[in-house]
Amino acid sequence: VQLQASGGGSVQPGGSLRLSCAASGFIGDYYVIGWFRQAPGKEREGVSCISARDGSTYYTDSVKGRFTISRDNAKNTVYLQMNSLKPEDTAVYYCATVPAGNYWSPTGVNYWGKGTLVTVSS
């Protein structure tokens, strides 16, 4: 199983970025895939996820209305569209999976991708 994340970068406040996570090696759809992030000096937190089975989504409160998660099943890729970015969104973003039925929490992750840095600064 591999998760290949891309799309990080630097942007001014109010700007947008799109993260991508290409997944390979999965069998079946009994899992949830999405993003965690970790800012300097802070714990890793769950940002958003989507069910591979039914497409249901979750967003942490701080990104609701600004971030949108989506999936392209044909490409086995998940996207996180991030709009109206704020300096507090600055973090390393990690793509990850959790078995279906588990909480979207770092302790439940069974596969991690490498992080991609998002910097929001003027």
Side-chain angles (χ1 to χ4, degrees), residues 87-109:
E88 51 264 42
D89 294 317
T90 296
V92 177
Y93 285 70
Y94 298 89
C95 182
T97 62
V98 168
N102 287 20
Y103 287 111
W104 186 244
S105 166
T107 58
V109 170

Side-chain angles (χ1 to χ4, degrees), residues 39-106:
K42 294 188 176 181
E43 294 186 351
R44 196 168 295 190
E45 66 167 344
V47 177
S48 179
C49 62
I50 186 167
S51 168
R53 172 161 290 188
D54 62 14
S56 57
T57 59
Y58 160 83
Y59 298 93
T60 192
D61 286 345
S62 62
V63 308
K64 286 179 181 177
R66 301 188 298 121
F67 291 11
T68 302
I69 193 167
S70 62
R71 60 180 181 169
D72 184 333
N73 289 339
K75 296 182 178 180
N76 291 325
T77 299
V78 173
Y79 304 98
L80 186 68
Q81 179 66 43
M82 304 185 295
N83 298 329
S84 302
L85 282 161
K86 304 176 180 180
E88 51 264 42
D89 294 317
T90 296
V92 177
Y93 285 70
Y94 298 89
C95 182
T97 62
V98 168
N102 287 20
Y103 287 111
W104 186 244
S105 166

Side-chain angles (χ1 to χ4, degrees), residues 4-11 16-22 35 78-82 85 93 114-119:
Q4 186 69 41
S6 61
S10 296
V11 65
S16 298
L17 285 173
R18 188 177 79 159
L19 305 183
S20 300
C21 177
W35 301 88
V78 173
Y79 304 98
L80 186 68
Q81 179 66 43
M82 304 185 295
L85 282 161
Y93 285 70
K114 290 184 179 180
T116 184
L117 177 63
V118 171
T119 303

